[in-house]
Amino acid sequence: MASRKEGSGAAGGGFGAAKGKGKAAAAGDSAVKQVQIDGLVVLKIIKHYQEEGQGNEVVQGVLLGLVVDDRLEITNCFPFPQHTEDDADFDEVQYQMEMMRSLRHVNIDHLHVGWYQSTYYGSFVTRALLDSQFSYQHAIEESVVLIYDPIKTAQGSLSLKAYRLTPKLMEVCKEKDFSPEALKKASIAYENMFEEVPIVIKNSYLINVMLWELEKKSAVADRHELLSLASSNHLGKSLQLLMDRVDEMSQDIVKYNTYLRNVSKQQQQKHQYQQRRQQENIQRQSRGEPPLPEEDINKLFKPPQPPPRMESLLIAGQINTYCQNIKEFNAQNLGKLFMAQALQDYNN
């Protein structure tokens, strides 16, 4: 869906993050346990999607800030510009460096601390996101990726989550060995690929006062719109995406079962070959002839390459995300139904 942009984000992140690695690490060597985001950053991310995100188009950008103890403070951000494949002269790394240089000149936090991305019905567990986050997190250990869900946000509650790759997955990505044996040895499953970091949104006292005033002035009718049960389209789309991922998982299972059958078939061929060699050596020994020379059986029977299992884990993680979204949709609709009934009883 946005593999090109996600891949380019990883390349920019690796270069820009390396520039600020020493300063960020000096600010705090402990792991990130909390992400603190300025309210202005949240508004910039939402505004970016509203201006450039259309349908399933994914928007992305750079997060800037600093590390304080075990808290990652995100104080600023800027978007990746939208451009087509025809813009061959556009250099994203140079663009990011110029942006950070301009921010530094006006005394604004300019150190890379991660990146953000919008999502389409929770479809963010992809190989492109994994590679991009690995690039950022490998350059700056405290880096995070913020996932903004505009569809959930439009239903009345801000959906913004911060994720990091787990240490086990980081080690596997460094080795670039995604074979079944390597993933099994590292105890990697879709449940422990990403870790979610709690988010705290920080606003100044004046902004908090203004928000309270706006809430008091908001019309009651506008609030009742949040009780609308018109979410069948969202539920249907989530189910369709879920079925597509289940189909992909089924195809991947077929490939893996084919690999297992090929391995079993080859083992039988090896056994039969060794038995024939053993019988022939017995016959040669009975005739007083020397036995046949030893041969490397692995050269005669080259073992089939196991299919990489990382894609299967990502698909399983995405299926889990869709299931969680459907569960939340049902819970929200049930809550809205009870509240709507309570309002109706109150009005009567």
Side-chain angles (χ1 to χ4, degrees):
M1 180 169 56
S3 59
R4 178 182 66 83
K5 290 203 66 182
E6 290 172 357
S8 61
F15 183 82
K19 296 288 289 184
K21 181 177 180 180
K23 295 181 181 180
D29 296 330
S30 59
V32 173
K33 297 181 180 178
Q34 186 184 77
V35 175
Q36 178 179 295
I37 310 175
D38 285 2
L40 180 60
V41 177
V42 178
L43 293 178
K44 283 184 176 181
I45 295 175
I46 296 175
K47 183 173 181 288
H48 182 199
Y49 177 81
Q50 291 178 345
E51 291 180 348
E52 299 186 5
Q54 298 179 357
N56 59 354
E57 181 68 20
V58 171
V59 299
Q60 298 172 326
V62 177
L63 299 175
L64 306 174
L66 66 159
V67 180
V68 180
D69 297 330
D70 59 352
R71 183 177 70 254
L72 180 65
E73 297 185 1
I74 301 175
T75 58
N76 202 356
C77 69
F78 62 85
F80 288 141
Q82 293 279 5
H83 61 276
T84 62
E85 298 290 350
D86 298 332
D87 301 332
D89 298 333
F90 182 79
D91 189 348
E92 291 195 357
V93 174
Q94 183 64 26
Y95 165 77
Q96 294 184 48
M97 296 306 299
E98 291 179 358
M99 285 292 297
M100 290 188 293
R101 189 179 300 112
S102 300
L103 293 173
R104 183 171 64 250
H105 288 166
V106 293
N107 198 25
I108 295 178
D109 292 334
H110 60 278
L111 296 181
H112 257 152
V113 293
W115 60 297
Y116 70 84
Q117 172 184 309
S118 65
T119 183
Y120 179 69
Y121 286 95
S123 303
F124 64 91
V125 186
T126 62
R127 183 60 180 271
L129 181 135
L130 175 66
D131 295 338
S132 297
Q133 180 57 23
F134 172 75
S135 176
Y136 275 94
Q137 203 166 323
H138 181 67
I140 294 183
E141 184 182 357
E142 297 85 1
S143 297
V144 300
V145 53
L146 289 183
I147 302 297
Y148 168 64
D149 193 331
I151 297 176
K152 288 185 179 180
T153 302
Q155 293 180 341
S157 60
L158 176 64
S159 178
L160 192 65
K161 296 184 179 181
Y163 292 99
R164 289 168 44 84
L165 301 185
T166 60
K168 291 183 178 180
L169 186 57
M170 285 293 295
E171 291 297 327
V172 172
C173 292
K174 288 178 183 178
E175 298 296 334
K176 297 182 180 180
D177 184 6
F178 304 119
S179 62
E181 293 77 12
L183 295 177
K184 182 178 180 180
K185 181 179 179 181
S187 300
I188 296 294
Y190 72 89
E191 297 95 339
N192 58 4
M193 294 176 63
F194 298 91
E195 57 182 2
E196 184 176 354
V197 186
I199 291 179
V200 174
I201 299 178
K202 180 184 178 183
N203 291 315
S204 66
Y205 294 112
L206 292 178
I207 293 179
N208 289 331
V209 172
M210 183 189 69
L211 292 176
W212 279 107
E213 292 295 328
L214 291 176
E215 184 177 2
K216 292 179 181 179
K217 294 179 181 180
S218 62
V220 178
D222 296 337
R223 300 180 187 179
H224 289 173
E225 291 180 359
L226 299 178
L227 300 179
S228 175
L229 298 177
S231 60
S232 58
N233 292 335
H234 300 303
L235 183 59
K237 187 62 179 179
S238 297
L239 288 172
Q240 182 61 49
L241 292 171
L242 175 61
M243 289 187 294
D244 293 341
R245 290 298 177 270
V246 171
D247 290 340
E248 292 179 6
M249 177 63 75
S250 299
Q251 296 174 4
D252 197 76
I253 292 175
V254 170
K255 294 179 181 178
Y256 189 69
N257 288 336
T258 302
Y259 160 74
L260 293 179
R261 286 196 299 268
N262 292 336
V263 170
S264 177
K265 182 178 179 180
Q266 190 181 74
Q267 291 295 334
Q268 293 178 359
Q269 292 175 351
K270 284 183 179 180
H271 183 67
Q272 294 174 358
Y273 177 79
Q274 289 173 344
Q275 285 184 337
R276 288 197 302 267
R277 295 271 299 185
Q278 186 178 6
Q279 292 176 358
E280 189 172 353
N281 284 332
I282 293 175
Q283 294 176 0
R284 292 174 66 91
Q285 185 178 5
S286 64
R287 295 194 298 264
E289 298 177 357
L292 295 173
E294 294 291 337
E295 294 182 351
D296 189 357
I297 195 170
N298 290 326
K299 292 183 179 180
L300 297 176
F301 299 92
K302 188 176 180 180
Q305 286 289 352
R309 302 298 294 166
M310 180 56 68
E311 295 297 333
S312 300
L313 293 179
L314 291 172
I315 294 175
Q318 188 61 69
I319 290 176
N320 182 66
T321 301
Y322 287 144
C323 292
Q324 293 294 332
N325 290 344
I326 294 173
K327 182 179 179 181
E328 291 177 5
F329 276 134
N330 293 335
Q332 290 176 0
N333 287 338
L334 185 60
K336 290 178 181 180
L337 184 62
F338 285 141
M339 293 182 66
Q341 185 65 40
L343 286 175
Q344 184 178 1
D345 294 343
Y346 176 79
N347 294 331
N348 293 335

